[in-house]
Amino acid sequence: MSAMNTQGRATRPMAANDETETAPETFTGNRALHLEEKPIFEKGAEGRTGVDLPEPPAVADRLGGLARSAPVGLPGLSEPQVVRHYTRLSQKNYAIDAGLFPLGSCTMKHNPRLNERLARLPGFADLHPMQPESTIQGALQLMQELSHWILTLTGMPAVALSPGAGAHGELTGMAAIRAALEHRGEADKRRKVLVPDSAHGTNPATAASLGFQIESIEEDDRGRVDFKAFERHLGDDVAAIMLTNPNTCGVFEYDIRRIADALHEAGGYFYCDGANFNAIVGRVRPGDLGVDAMHLNLHKTFSTPHGGGGPGSGPVVYSEALAPFAPVPRLHRNADGTLSLIERAEGEAAQAFGRVKGFHGQMGMFVRALTYMLSHGSDGLRQVAEDAVLNANYLKARLKSEFSLPYGDTGPCMHEVLFDDHFLKGTGVSTLDFAKAMIDEGFHPMTMYFPLVVHGAMLIEPTETETKNALDEFADALLGLARAAKAGDTERFAQAPRFAPRKRLDETQAARKPVLRWQAD
């Protein structure tokens, strides 16, 4: 039996590096009831089919000579083969329904089934964006209710629901800042955007895509914005700051109100990256902190599915100063009590900078987010933040005896706890090795090597939805790995993952020469 398929990939878990395996090889490549799965093209056979369709009636050729002249090359498969193939593939896919996802920054959390059930109600699921407004009053009412909750929780006066994801929300918020500067006649003068090193990585890219120049602000020895460094960069050429709070070091920015006041006095705007809002929802209102614009990741704070390329949703809230420049469409209550969408930058939306998306946003995400809000209530959302912070600090307390904290144990963290690789010094084990070994233990790795200001960073965010039992199992596994590394058991890490369907890939080749589709010989 060949150990490699026609693409040069190992066909069995043990095939890529059999000499290091201690477990006996099976004749099939399967292990217990976990079945190895070939590409579907390698399972096909000519003439095999799962359906029996009549010959299509003869019709006139309207392709003008563009009809395919060669076979399509699809595999011939029976129905059971197709069902089993995709069922096996689904079993190889690690998901939040299978286990804990400790990814920091933009982590995945449990999505309540109630959200899904309501989003699939025909009245919402069957909407078409070009229906007459008279037929979608319920959907518009839901958008207004969602807007009310968002504005109440953030303490801001205006919101744009249309952005399709968090980074899209950043662009929408910063576009309003640029429009406001153009309205003031200062667009050519204020070209700089200040971005702390502890901000999300998309922030400088967003500002640069709008033509701004980026200046970095270093963090202090607490992992927070160095206020004196911020003051040195502040001037009448600054358009805005893009600050993440809580930041990517997992801590709250103590000086955020001072930063906002100094920035406003200098004529700049305050953009806050609200991706980590789940750590403060119900406890802190960004509007009270002096924020002018901020996006929310509905998936992170309000339990809609993670975007992964879509469909996502990243509403943006605006201060009084920026509200006139928010994009269209906008909800409007008519004199007769009905709701309408203002589609053009005219009338009361005359200063809107335009549109950022076709139609009105992701209705399915709106339904899921509002369901989450209503099912928790204001007290429940406050507890969400408290539990997110509690869980992160529980892991910090469990792990800090073996792991290393880059800024020392200076107090509680927020919803995520940040470690560096100092505890691995001299072991020959890297952060990457450690993360691969976590896969063997049945856990998805945390965010690695981010934030960039910390060497060998390991950013762990358990989310508020994990139980103490789940956190203990996770902590026990990590403590075992840390002790194994320090004891010199490097083989465990060098070959990891040993038990995954595929072993460790060549990281460089996987990034620079990825094989993304099957090709016939």
Side-chain angles (χ1 to χ4, degrees), residues 31-45:
R31 304 182 76 168
L33 296 180
H34 295 281
L35 306 184
E36 176 59 14
E37 190 63 21
K38 296 178 180 178
I40 198 168
F41 290 92
E42 295 183 4
K43 293 173 170 291

Side-chain angles (χ1 to χ4, degrees), residues 115 119 124 127 139-140 142-147 150 160-164 298 302 304 312-315 331 357 359-374:
N115 298 0
F124 295 122
L127 285 172
L140 297 180
L142 183 142
M143 292 169 66
Q144 187 179 60
E145 183 72 11
L146 176 64
S147 299
I150 290 175
L161 294 178
S162 54
L298 292 188
F302 302 113
T304 65
S313 187
L331 277 169
K357 196 175 193 302
F359 303 113
H360 325 308
Q362 297 288 354
M363 178 55 66
M365 297 302 153
F366 299 161
V367 176
R368 291 178 176 93
L370 184 59
T371 301
Y372 187 76
M373 294 170 176
L374 293 175

